[in-house]
Amino acid sequence: MSSKTQITAQELYERLKNIKVGGQVCQYSLKKCEEFLPVINEILRLKQEMNAVILVHSYVGPEIVYSVADSIGDSYKLSREAVQSTAKIIIFVAVRFMGETAKILNPGKTVIVPAREPGCTLADSITGAQVRELRRQYPGYTFICYVNTSVDVKAECDVCVTSANVYTIVERLPGDKIYFLPDKFMGQNLVNEMKKRGVKKDIKFWNGTCYVHEEYGAEQIFKIRTEYPDVKIVSHPECNAEVVRNSDFVGGTEQMLDYMRKADAKRFLMLTECGLSSRLQSEFPDKELVGSCTLCKYMKSNTLEDIRQALQSPKPGQVVEIAEPVRLRALKSLEAMFKYAEPCAPPQVCE
Ligand code: 13P
Ligand code: SF4
């Protein structure tokens, strides 16, 4: 993790100058970077003074990603960072369920989510009470929750997964009756992927969707492939099955970046939130982004001003609080995730 104490407008501008997502012109001028600077340097000072760590999801605004983040990544990487950090305060610049995950893993730390609208259409599509009812309807099923769920839902499930490890974990799980929630597209992609891998499991799933990823359709892919025959299509498993089938690579947001880092290809269409397209333009300037992307209003409801305010005097709604019995039950599903995702990591040992 980096621990910057100050940055200059020029340094920030160098990271932002190639970001032209959704337009021909970069929305970040050097002047704009100069305007951001007082708030950024105040955040960096407060962070140091208060022994805080700032974890930033790739979907939030690039002016945050490239200025105050100690770590940038996807939900899996950031949950790992939350455990490893020795800071007393975790500022989780993302949405509520990600802050809850950090709090489940770090009950002794203060976890703050600065977002004004910290929701998520997937996490909001199912409650703990609904999972209890499903468990009555499907006895004998292993309940798997995607990380995009509330702590109440995680507490009712057996194993948590993220987009980075969902296929691996379901393949490794001993049970052959699976109830996956809440994403119906990821559920269908899971069924298709298990079939491809020759894994026989009875998989049922809930009917939630991510309003960002459900926007994408295969027709967009066909159109772009006609225009740019050499393009590589990179998509998130929250996209529908037809999009996934017609993509060159499917994975969690960190895996998508890794794919681009290693690919020889020059052109990419990113079927995920615009934050990833911004990262492509900033971090891989010799690669070209084609097509358009969609914004998540929840992730983008984090601002630099909100982060400063949350460090100075957090509002009750920004501080994540979880009742201990619920936390302990939700922790079991996260521990099961780490166990199945990384079976060779301590304390487990592989031959
Ligand atoms: P990641 O697990 O890839 O970070 O995705 C989280 C998310 O909200 C995707 O929409
Ligand atoms: Fe939720 Fe979709 Fe936003 Fe991710 S992009 S936080 S799944 S609404």
Side-chain angles (χ1 to χ4, degrees):
M1 286 193 209
S2 80
S3 53
K4 284 174 276 184
T5 50
Q6 280 223 319
I7 64 166
T8 65
Q10 187 64 43
E11 281 167 343
L12 181 60
Y13 178 64
E14 289 303 318
R15 301 307 301 267
L16 302 179
K17 67 181 184 191
N18 293 322
I19 299 176
K20 298 173 186 133
V21 173
Q24 295 299 308
V25 182
C26 178
Q27 51 181 307
Y28 298 101
S29 60
L30 180 57
K31 186 167 176 296
K32 192 136 186 198
C33 292
E34 281 162 359
E35 285 164 15
F36 286 137
L37 219 59
V39 188
I40 290 173
N41 283 328
E42 177 75 353
I43 293 171
L44 293 174
R45 187 187 63 75
L46 286 165
K47 180 179 79 151
Q48 201 84 354
E49 208 174 274
M50 299 170 70
N51 189 12
V53 65
I54 303 185
L55 307 180
V56 178
H57 194 275
S58 294
Y59 291 175
V60 308
E63 71 281 8
I64 299 174
V65 167
Y66 295 115
S67 63
V68 298
D70 290 300
S71 185
I72 313 159
D74 65 2
S75 54
Y76 189 73
K77 178 178 167 191
L78 296 178
S79 68
R80 276 306 209 183
E81 300 277 5
V83 178
Q84 278 152 16
S85 165
T86 53
K88 280 196 344 216
I89 301 171
I90 297 173
I91 305 289
F92 213 124
V93 191
V95 288
R96 187 184 295 112
F97 76 81
M98 293 193 190
E100 284 181 351
T101 304
K103 183 69 179 178
I104 296 166
L105 296 166
N106 298 274
K109 294 178 188 167
T110 301
V111 178
I112 299 170
V113 178
R116 284 170 192 221
E117 265 194 275
C120 162
T121 58
L122 276 175
D124 296 340
S125 73
I126 189 162
T127 63
Q130 284 172 308
V131 183
R132 281 196 294 279
E133 179 51 34
L134 285 169
R135 291 202 87 126
R136 274 191 283 277
Q137 283 175 34
Y138 295 97
Y141 277 69
T142 301
F143 273 68
I144 302 188
C145 56
Y146 186 33
V147 70
N148 294 42
T149 44
S150 68
V151 61
D152 290 341
V153 166
K154 288 187 179 75
E156 301 298 337
C157 291
D158 302 302
V159 189
C160 180
V161 296
T162 74
S163 54
N165 57 37
V166 52
Y167 300 149
T168 312
I169 289 181
V170 174
E171 185 173 358
R172 284 177 183 163
L173 271 177
D176 60 0
K177 286 179 172 172
I178 304 286
Y179 196 103
F180 175 79
L181 56 91
D183 189 341
K184 71 173 180 186
F185 291 138
M186 200 180 276
Q188 187 56 55
N189 292 328
L190 181 57
V191 170
N192 297 347
E193 183 65 23
M194 290 305 107
K195 219 174 266 172
K196 233 199 282 176
R197 294 184 185 195
V199 177
K200 286 201 175 70
K201 301 216 185 211
D202 165 17
I203 302 175
K204 311 245 181 274
F205 47 85
W206 189 246
N207 62 4
T209 55
C210 160
Y211 88 108
V212 172
H213 291 88
E214 76 178 344
E215 282 299 300
Y216 300 121
E219 58 295 342
Q220 250 167 298
I221 298 182
F222 304 144
K223 190 167 168 278
I224 287 283
R225 282 212 199 272
T226 313
E227 222 172 312
Y228 306 100
D230 61 340
V231 73
K232 292 288 178 209
I233 314 286
V234 185
S235 69
H236 194 279
E238 288 170 18
C239 294
N240 72 43
E242 227 197 321
V243 167
V244 164
R245 196 168 31 250
N246 286 288
S247 296
D248 295 292
F249 181 80
V250 182
T253 48
E254 274 310 293
Q255 294 165 326
M256 289 164 121
L257 284 170
D258 202 44
Y259 171 80
M260 285 183 309
R261 194 171 289 124
K262 292 174 185 157
D264 286 336
K266 189 158 167 32
R267 285 199 181 89
F268 296 87
L269 169 66
M270 307 293 295
L271 295 178
T272 188
E273 211 274 347
C274 293
L276 254 262
S277 305
S278 304
R279 286 197 65 182
L280 184 151
Q281 291 183 321
S282 173
E283 295 168 37
F284 308 98
D286 53 333
K287 309 217 180 216
E288 188 190 337
L289 175 75
V290 296
S292 58
C293 56
T294 314
L295 294 168
C296 172
K297 66 174 178 176
Y298 305 109
M299 289 284 191
K300 293 294 198 265
S301 78
N302 288 281
T303 66
L304 285 165
E305 285 75 13
D306 295 331
I307 298 171
R308 176 176 59 182
Q309 166 271 312
L311 275 162
Q312 285 169 334
S313 56
K315 297 177 193 159
Q318 292 174 318
V319 182
V320 180
E321 303 283 4
I322 303 173
E324 189 60 4
V326 181
R327 186 191 74 80
L328 288 173
R329 287 170 56 223
L331 179 63
K332 282 198 193 140
S333 68
L334 289 174
E335 284 175 342
M337 170 174 81
F338 293 127
K339 177 177 147 198
Y340 286 108
E342 301 168 48
C344 301
Q348 292 84 229
V349 184
C350 292
E351 292 298 308

